RNA sequence: GCGAGAGUGGCGGAAUGGUAGACGCGAAGGUCUCAAACACCUUUGGUAGUAAUACUGUGUGAGUUCAAGUCUCAUCUCUCGCACCA
């Protein structure tokens, strides 16, 4: 019937030749910046999931262009990272070559879909011209005291003798050899993201992120307000400071627990009578992975410190101190006050080790479980008689503050960002270590610090980055004193390159700076950013942190990088499970493109269901969409030479529906509306050119190739990509007549076609005279009549 | 455990508090054909009825309302995110 392959190639060529989708940095039009999360070009090629989000945002971008905006809709590649490194090691090639191949495949696949990206702005995070600026920005962090080195645990496989990423050590076992992963301490570069916890939280108010995404961010930042309280250690000058959100329960504190890594253990060494036992416990928990330690339902373990006691500052009682690995060193102060009566974990611990449980909040049954609700305070000295939590907390903190035993404190779960990876395939951290001068930044004139072109970059067996083994590369001179020095061999994490890429798109070829002031000011914020839910926490936080920092040092105009952040749902296999090779339910988008065309695939993926929800693949559904496009194509055979709209009301209604639905990412109902329009057109003997033009214009953002071709074949006007988005007249969306619904006591008893201009009285009169309605109301008392103009009449009888 | 979201035909899914099931798929019957495929037409939540129509129906149970898939409360189930965070 028509050769979709030929048509799609033709228009893709046309757009490319005409540079239709190239954004201009000096346009009089209003700007609009549409961004999709750039892909990691894996060896497997494009996934149908990519097609869903790319098409959705493509439709938005295309519509915005027709509406007269200067649209920036770019794409690039997030190509550093482990899979490429491992693939390259396995095949004995350089990762950059592997990446080059993969990008080629991805690019071709994406181009065949007819996504309106501005390919002139394409780059990869692995391009030296790009990572030069990633390194440059790292040095800005360093310059402003936000990058520092600290000892941190890494996941370590004692068998393979290499450091592992969290992904490689999931479940607490090494992905390669299956042995259990331990923690090994190593000096690492860190970024002080914790300093930005509050701005990252309040900044959300300046965005229109989807609510679920805001929530994910808020949870991850994990703000909690409370106090740091000082507990004296009996018979010493030492103190233990704990963080708590519940100072009101202080009288219920019957013991303390400190983390095995807590430094006070060393300080109190001579006082602790069972120090050997403590050391054993420390070793034991060191060998546990984070995973094991955090495993729920696990029985609590701990060791009591013999010979030392703390003093409860509320009632001066001596209480036991325990070491337990359920207390984490990296949150709060690494020590807690335990209130077994009102905390599950403390309750469990106290029960196991026979520690007293003192109830201080009334309302539960503490013989059975910890009580966590509100209630009047009891057994609580100065707090007795207070009924609310807020008041009790305040009273207690004020009481302790006067004695210098407490300070109000806000804590965040958000930690500093571990910015080092012991890997080859990442941006080298541009620092040099000199024995004389310490850490010295690489001068910006010497950026980028390039990755060496070597053949061997297997991980070393001492936990260092593979770069450490490349002596030629490591040995350098100190930029400060000129003496011999060594390069930092750690590389940046995968998240680095994606933490500012949207800025580079604004001015991708600039070799003076990461993006010119003019470009940054012109494009400003990303108006609409789309990505997966899996990146709604970490990537989004890193990107916002990075941008807020650049803003604070005056390099970018906006504090928040993204106005809207939306998330698409996943596309599952036909069996409702996640697509995977092993399950054999993978659909390759390019098979579909070859078989039924890009337009059919695009239309189907937009029609598949609610954009935000996951959806299962259905080949029959796909065929239905292909059928729809075929029917649109056949409309060409029924054009008459009349002018105007044959179905004016419906046309205006459809423009309205499609316009609003694309704005709200309700593509499925937009397409449904177009199907309705088509169904009605088909019922006519023939339609006008305008009728056809309006349908294909509205369909164009979703199925751009076939609509352009129909437009050209029938001389309907200039190419659709150069035309304008239709507007609707609200008054024309209302028909002259409508079907009035008549209910009796809320149940539909009749329908009648009436004029839209009918008055309430007229509507009621008609309603009462419907035969079936009469059957219900005759002889009954009419209590009242509710009449909704242009809709319905409800007669309430007794 | 905490947080977010969702439960509607055989399936994917529509419904500013106002006709539940739009649109699509599938299925059944028909037209075309030697036949099939394609295409086209008709029907399609369930029960009863030739039909008009009636009853019933949005996870479950209450409630608010003239009117509830939609609002409120309770409850169950599922999905996702976070999780020994003090």
């Amino acid at each position: 019937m028509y050769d979709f392959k030929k048509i799609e190639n033709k228009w893709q060529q046309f757009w490319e030749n005409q540079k239709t989708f190239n954004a201009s940095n000096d346009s009089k039009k209003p700007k609009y910046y549409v961004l999709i999360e750039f892909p990691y070009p894996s060896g497997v090629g494009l996934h149908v999931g990519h097609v869903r989000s790319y098409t959705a945002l493509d439709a938005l971008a295309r519509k915005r262009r027709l509406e007269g905006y200067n649209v920036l809709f770019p794409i690039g590649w997030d190509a550093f990272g482990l899979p490429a490194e491992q693939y390259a090691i396995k095949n004995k090639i350089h990762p950059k070559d592997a990446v080059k191949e993969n990008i080629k495949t991805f690019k071709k696949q994406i181009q065949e879909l007819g996504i309106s990206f501005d390919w002139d702005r394409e780059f990869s995070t692995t391009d030296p011209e790009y990572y030069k600026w990633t390194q440059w920005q790292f040095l800005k962090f360093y310059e402003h005291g936000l990058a520092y080195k600290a000892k941190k645990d890494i996941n370590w496989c004692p068998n393979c003798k290499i450091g592992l990423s969290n992904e490689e050590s999931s479940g607490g076992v090494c992905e390669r050899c299956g042995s259990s992963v331990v923690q090994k301490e190593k000096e690492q570069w860190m970024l002080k993201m914790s300093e930005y916890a509050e701005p990252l939280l309040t900044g959300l108010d300046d965005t229109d992120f989807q609510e679920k995404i805001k929530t994910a961010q808020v949870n991850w930042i994990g703000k909690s307000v409370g106090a740091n309280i000082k507990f004296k250690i009996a018979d010493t000058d030492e103190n233990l400071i704990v963080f708590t959100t519940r100072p009101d329960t202080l009288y219920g504190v019957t013991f303390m627990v400190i983390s095995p890594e807590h430094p006070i253990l060393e300080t109190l060494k001579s006082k602790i009578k069972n120090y050997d036992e403590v050391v054993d416990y420390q070793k034991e928990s060191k060998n546990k992975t984070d995973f094991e330690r955090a495993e729920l339902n696990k029985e609590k373990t701990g060791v009591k410190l013999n010979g030392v006691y703390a003093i409860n500052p509320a009632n001066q009682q001596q209480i036991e101190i325990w070491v337990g690995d359920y207390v984490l060193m990296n949150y709060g102060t690494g020590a807690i006050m335990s209130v077994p009566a009102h905390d599950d974990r403390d309750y469990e611990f106290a029960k196991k080790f026979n520690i007293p449980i003192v109830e201080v909040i009334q309302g539960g049954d503490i013989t059975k479980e910890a009580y966590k609700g509100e209630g009047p305070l009891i057994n609580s000295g100065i707090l007795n008689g207070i009924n609310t939590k807020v008041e009790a907390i305040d009273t207690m903190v004020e009481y302790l503050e006067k004695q210098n035993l407490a300070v109000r404190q806000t804590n965040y779960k958000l930690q500093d960002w571990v910015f080092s990876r012991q890997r080859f395939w990442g941006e080298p951290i541009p620092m040099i270590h000199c024995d004389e001068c310490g850490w010295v930044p690489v001068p910006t004139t010497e950026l980028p610090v390039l990755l060496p072109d070597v053949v061997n970059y297997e991980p070393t067996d001492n936990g260092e980055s593979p770069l450490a083994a490349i002596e030629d590369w490591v040995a350098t001179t100190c930029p400060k004193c000129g003496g011999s020095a060594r390069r930092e061999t750690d590389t940046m994490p995968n998240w680095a390159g994606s933490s500012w890429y949207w800025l580079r798109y604004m001015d991708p070829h600039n070799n003076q700076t990461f993006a010119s002031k003019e470009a940054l000011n012109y494009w400003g914020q990303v108006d609409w950013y789309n990505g997966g839910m899996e990146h709604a926490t970490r990537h989004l936080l890193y990107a916002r942190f990075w941008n807020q920092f650049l803003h604070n040092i005056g390099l970018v105009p906006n504090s928040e990088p993204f106005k809207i952040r939306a998330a698409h749902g996943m596309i599952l296999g036909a069996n409702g499970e996640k697509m995977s090779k092993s399950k054999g339910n993978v659909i390759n988008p390019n098979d579909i493109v070859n078989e039924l065309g890009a337009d059919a695939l695009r239309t189907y993926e937009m029609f598949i269901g609610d954009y935000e929800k996951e959806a299962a693949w259905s080949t029959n559904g796909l065929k239905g969409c292909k059928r729809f496009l075929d029917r649109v194509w056949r409309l060409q055979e029924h054009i008459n030479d009349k002018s105007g709209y044959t179905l004016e009301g419906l046309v205006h209604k459809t423009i309205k529906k499609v316009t609003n639905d694309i704005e709200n990412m309700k593509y499925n109902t937009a397409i449904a509306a177009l199907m309705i329009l088509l169904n009605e057109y088909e019922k006519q003997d023939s339609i006008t050119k305008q009728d056809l033009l309006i349908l294909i214009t509205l369909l164009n953002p979703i199925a751009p190739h076939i609509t352009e071709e129909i437009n050209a074949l029938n001389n309907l006007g200039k190419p659709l990509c150069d035309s304008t988005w239709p507007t609707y007249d609200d008054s024309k969306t209302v028909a002259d007549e409508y079907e009035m619904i008549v209910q009796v006591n809320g149940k539909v008893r009749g329908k009648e076609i009436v004029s839209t201009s009918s008055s309430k009285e007229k509507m009621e009169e008609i309603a009462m005279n419907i035969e079936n309605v009469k059957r219900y109301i005759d002889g009954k008392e009419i209590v009242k009549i509710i009449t909704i103009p242009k809709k319905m009449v409800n007669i309430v009888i007794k």
Side-chain angles (χ1 to χ4, degrees):
Chain A
M1 173 163 88
Y2 61 95
D3 186 343
F4 57 80
K5 200 77 222 171
K6 212 165 130 191
I7 292 173
E8 289 177 0
N9 285 338
K10 170 183 162 184
W11 287 101
Q12 283 161 16
Q13 273 302 313
F14 177 87
W15 296 323
E16 198 185 322
N17 295 342
Q18 205 193 258
K19 298 213 173 280
T20 311
F21 306 126
N22 285 29
S24 159
N25 269 20
D26 49 17
S27 166
K28 294 269 179 295
K29 295 177 183 174
K31 70 97 191 180
Y32 200 84
Y33 189 172
V34 181
L35 183 68
I36 49 131
E37 270 174 0
F38 61 170
Y40 177 81
S42 76
V44 219
L46 207 64
H47 185 271
V48 283
H50 291 115
V51 180
R52 188 183 203 184
S53 53
Y54 295 4
T55 306
L57 277 288
D58 183 41
L60 179 69
R62 285 174 179 270
K63 173 167 175 280
R64 280 284 181 279
R65 288 194 198 94
L66 299 192
E67 286 170 332
Y69 288 89
N70 178 30
V71 172
L72 175 54
F73 185 36
I75 180 157
W77 316 100
D78 187 18
F80 274 127
L82 213 48
E85 180 171 329
Q86 284 171 341
Y87 176 86
I89 289 172
K90 204 169 139 197
N91 296 286
K92 302 244 176 274
I93 53 170
H94 197 280
K96 76 177 179 195
D97 297 322
V99 161
K100 206 182 271 172
E101 276 306 301
N102 290 347
I103 287 180
K104 215 170 126 191
T105 314
F106 256 69
K107 186 168 179 179
K108 181 168 174 288
Q109 288 188 307
I110 293 173
Q111 283 176 324
E112 282 180 2
L113 293 167
I115 309 287
S116 65
F117 288 129
D118 179 351
W119 287 102
D120 283 1
R121 293 177 188 247
E122 171 195 4
F123 61 80
S124 166
T125 52
T126 55
D127 297 341
E129 305 78 46
Y130 179 80
Y131 73 71
K132 169 182 177 174
W133 298 108
T134 311
Q135 291 174 337
W136 185 85
Q137 291 172 22
F138 172 85
L139 292 180
K140 286 287 163 196
F141 280 106
Y142 182 77
E143 190 185 315
H144 287 83
L146 289 175
Y148 64 99
K149 265 219 152 175
K151 281 204 163 136
K152 276 279 156 185
D153 282 343
I154 60 166
N155 299 309
W156 175 256
C157 173
N159 183 35
C160 307
K161 291 187 183 160
I162 56 161
L164 302 171
S165 69
N166 287 335
E167 291 72 33
E168 288 173 300
S169 53
S170 74
V173 288
C174 173
E175 193 181 70
R176 330 169 146 221
C177 72
S179 47
S180 29
V181 174
V182 297
Q183 300 301 303
K184 183 180 165 125
E185 209 173 52
K186 206 182 166 302
E187 280 242 313
Q188 313 235 54
W189 285 100
M190 309 281 294
L191 292 187
K192 265 190 207 164
M193 189 149 77
S194 57
E195 267 189 19
Y196 275 71
E198 193 61 31
L200 285 170
L201 198 58
T202 52
L204 291 171
D205 294 341
D206 299 331
T207 71
D208 296 330
F209 293 177
Q210 279 174 353
E211 218 38 56
K212 62 175 174 181
I213 290 173
K214 280 194 184 181
T215 313
Q217 295 267 297
V218 170
N219 288 345
W220 195 274
I221 295 168
K223 179 177 183 173
S224 54
V225 179
N228 276 353
I229 298 179
K230 198 189 274 181
F231 284 66
K232 290 200 166 102
I233 312 276
D235 307 322
T236 69
D237 295 332
E238 298 296 325
N239 298 301
L240 255 185
I241 304 208
V242 302
F243 172 71
T244 179
T245 55
R246 298 298 302 274
D248 56 319
T249 60
L250 197 56
Y251 285 92
V253 174
T254 53
F255 61 104
M256 302 182 81
V257 185
I258 62 177
S259 153
E261 296 89 12
H262 201 290
I264 202 162
L265 287 168
E266 178 70 29
T267 321
L268 297 177
K269 192 172 174 178
S270 57
K271 295 237 164 202
I272 302 169
K273 289 181 184 148
N274 56 340
Y275 196 72
D276 290 351
E277 209 183 328
V278 172
V279 170
D280 284 349
Y281 185 75
Q282 283 178 316
K283 276 189 196 150
E284 206 178 292
S285 60
K286 178 126 193 124
N287 285 330
K288 282 184 196 170
T289 61
D290 276 351
F291 178 79
E292 281 172 331
R293 242 177 105 162
E295 208 176 356
L296 218 71
N297 303 327
K298 185 200 72 175
E299 206 172 296
K300 300 254 177 306
T301 60
V303 174
K304 187 183 160 190
L305 301 188
N306 287 335
V308 286
Y309 292 92
I311 310 286
N312 183 333
N315 55 19
Q316 310 307 318
Q317 275 177 13
Q318 282 205 352
I319 52 174
E320 297 169 355
I321 304 174
W322 288 69
V323 185
D325 66 3
Y326 81 96
V327 177
L328 310 172
M329 195 58 220
N330 61 7
Y331 183 78
T333 62
I336 61 163
M337 56 178 229
S338 291
V339 187
H342 306 290
D343 181 282
D344 287 333
R345 296 153 301 176
D346 298 347
Y347 188 85
E348 194 192 327
F349 197 87
K351 278 280 175 197
K352 179 168 175 186
F353 295 109
N354 285 316
I355 305 171
I357 298 172
V358 176
E359 184 178 24
V360 290
I361 297 168
Q362 221 167 22
D365 178 1
I366 63 151
T367 60
K368 292 205 184 87
E369 58 180 0
Y371 175 67
K372 291 162 292 176
E374 283 255 12
L377 281 107
I378 53 168
N379 302 326
S380 288
I382 59 161
L383 300 181
N384 282 336
I386 296 178
N387 286 313
T388 70
K389 190 162 97 182
V390 187
E391 198 190 339
I393 289 175
D394 243 38
T395 311
M396 179 49 83
V397 174
E398 265 173 43
Y399 171 77
L400 293 173
E401 270 175 336
K402 280 183 197 142
Q403 307 169 59
N404 274 332
L405 291 173
V407 278
R408 289 175 199 269
Q409 172 75 30
T410 301
N411 273 347
Y412 302 88
K413 285 188 214 169
L414 188 70
Q415 307 274 312
D416 282 348
W417 181 1
V418 182
F419 205 67
S420 283
R421 296 292 183 274
Q422 291 71 43
R423 289 288 168 185
F424 176 81
W425 193 229
E427 301 89 341
I429 291 177
M431 298 295 292
I432 291 170
H433 191 265
C434 167
D435 285 342
E436 296 297 316
C437 315
W439 284 107
V440 181
V442 172
T444 52
T445 49
E446 285 173 28
L447 296 180
V449 176
L450 290 170
L451 280 168
D453 267 322
V454 291
V455 277
N456 195 353
Y457 36 83
E458 302 253 0
T460 58
D461 58 6
N462 59 0
E464 295 297 320
S465 154
L467 287 171
I470 305 168
E471 189 52 37
D472 283 0
W473 186 84
V474 178
T476 184
T477 51
C478 172
K480 214 164 164 186
C481 70
S484 65
R486 299 179 69 77
R487 289 190 188 281
E488 169 62 63
T489 57
D490 284 354
T491 52
M492 297 187 197
N494 212 175
W495 310 96
S498 56
S499 290
W500 70 281
Y501 71 110
W502 67 94
L503 299 171
R504 187 65 178 171
Y505 285 139
M506 297 175 183
D507 193 9
H509 308 298
N510 196 320
N511 52 20
Q512 303 300 310
T513 175
F514 67 96
S516 74
K517 273 263 178 289
E518 294 73 37
L520 289 163
N521 284 330
Y522 177 72
W523 291 109
Q525 262 180 326
V526 173
D527 293 283
W528 196 308
Y529 186 26
N530 185 90
M533 213 43 213
E534 68 275 18
H535 293 135
T537 46
R538 301 186 70 180
H539 159 64
L540 192 54
L541 271 171
Y542 293 142
R544 293 179 56 230
F545 162 58
W546 199 289
N547 194 83
Q548 288 197 357
F549 166 69
L550 294 181
H551 172 70
N552 285 349
I553 62 170
L555 294 180
V556 301
N558 296 288
S559 176
E560 285 295 330
F562 316 120
K563 189 64 189 164
I564 295 177
R565 169 55 160 77
H568 57 260
M570 221 191 309
I571 294 202
L572 306 172
N575 53 1
E577 291 180 73
K578 212 168 159 174
M579 281 191 192
S580 78
K581 232 186 213 169
S582 59
K583 283 182 187 135
N585 59 355
V586 176
I587 303 286
N588 179 346
N590 286 83
D591 293 347
I592 310 290
V593 170
N594 291 329
E595 217 178 297
L596 298 170
D599 283 335
L601 176 61
R602 292 170 58 117
T603 308
Y604 170 61
E605 291 212 24
M606 292 301 92
F607 188 62
I608 195 167
D610 189 331
Y611 179 69
E612 290 170 28
K613 289 194 207 131
E614 53 186 34
W617 183 265
S618 154
T619 299
N620 280 328
L622 168 67
K623 284 183 190 154
C625 288
K626 169 68 172 153
R627 209 171 294 162
F628 164 65
L629 295 179
D630 291 348
R631 284 164 59 204
V632 172
W633 179 264
R634 283 198 299 267
L635 273 181
Q636 296 175 91
E637 297 155 20
H638 301 282
I639 298 177
N640 58 34
D641 46 18
K642 292 184 196 151
S643 61
Y645 293 137
T646 311
L647 303 163
E648 195 176 42
L650 182 63
V651 163
H652 282 271
K653 232 163 128 173
T654 309
I655 298 172
K656 183 177 180 177
K657 179 82 180 144
V658 174
T659 304
N660 295 335
D661 280 355
I662 292 180
E663 278 325 292
N664 296 311
M665 304 224 116
K666 293 186 137 294
Y667 300 99
N668 53 340
T669 48
I671 293 169
L674 291 169
M675 286 173 170
I676 293 171
L677 185 64
L678 171 67
N679 289 346
E680 293 306 316
Y681 279 175
E682 284 179 339
K683 287 179 193 160
Q684 313 297 316
D685 292 333
S686 60
I687 58 165
T688 66
K689 283 190 170 185
Q690 280 96 323
D691 287 332
L692 181 60
L693 179 59
I694 206 78
L695 174 63
I696 59 171
T697 307
L698 294 175
L699 181 58
N700 176 260
I702 290 158
H705 313 88
I706 189 179
T707 48
E708 286 284 13
E709 184 70 9
I710 294 171
N711 180 66
L713 283 178
N714 297 280
N715 299 314
L716 299 180
K718 55 181 167 183
L720 293 176
C721 59
D722 298 327
S723 89
T724 53
W725 190 251
T727 53
Y728 59 90
D729 180 343
D730 229 341
S731 67
K732 286 186 178 156
T733 61
V734 186
D736 295 343
E737 288 181 326
Y738 69 99
E739 193 180 43
M740 178 178 75
I741 303 304
V742 182
Q743 300 180 340
V744 177
N745 283 353
K747 292 204 173 189
V748 180
R749 298 301 182 191
K751 300 173 185 181
E752 193 73 41
I753 305 287
V754 302
S755 156
T756 307
S757 58
S758 303
S759 65
K760 274 191 172 192
E761 291 71 27
K762 181 78 185 163
M763 285 170 70
E764 286 164 19
E765 186 196 323
I766 294 167
M768 305 280 232
N769 282 306
I770 295 171
E771 277 307 315
N772 197 44
V773 173
K774 278 189 192 166
R775 275 177 49 198
Y776 288 89
I777 60 173
D778 274 357
K780 299 276 170 51
E781 184 196 337
I782 294 174
V783 182
K784 62 171 155 179
I785 301 177
I786 290 120
T787 305
I788 314 287
K790 294 177 202 165
K791 214 161 239 165
M792 53 158 292
V793 174
N794 185 12
I795 303 164
V796 185
I797 58 166
K798 229 199 303 206

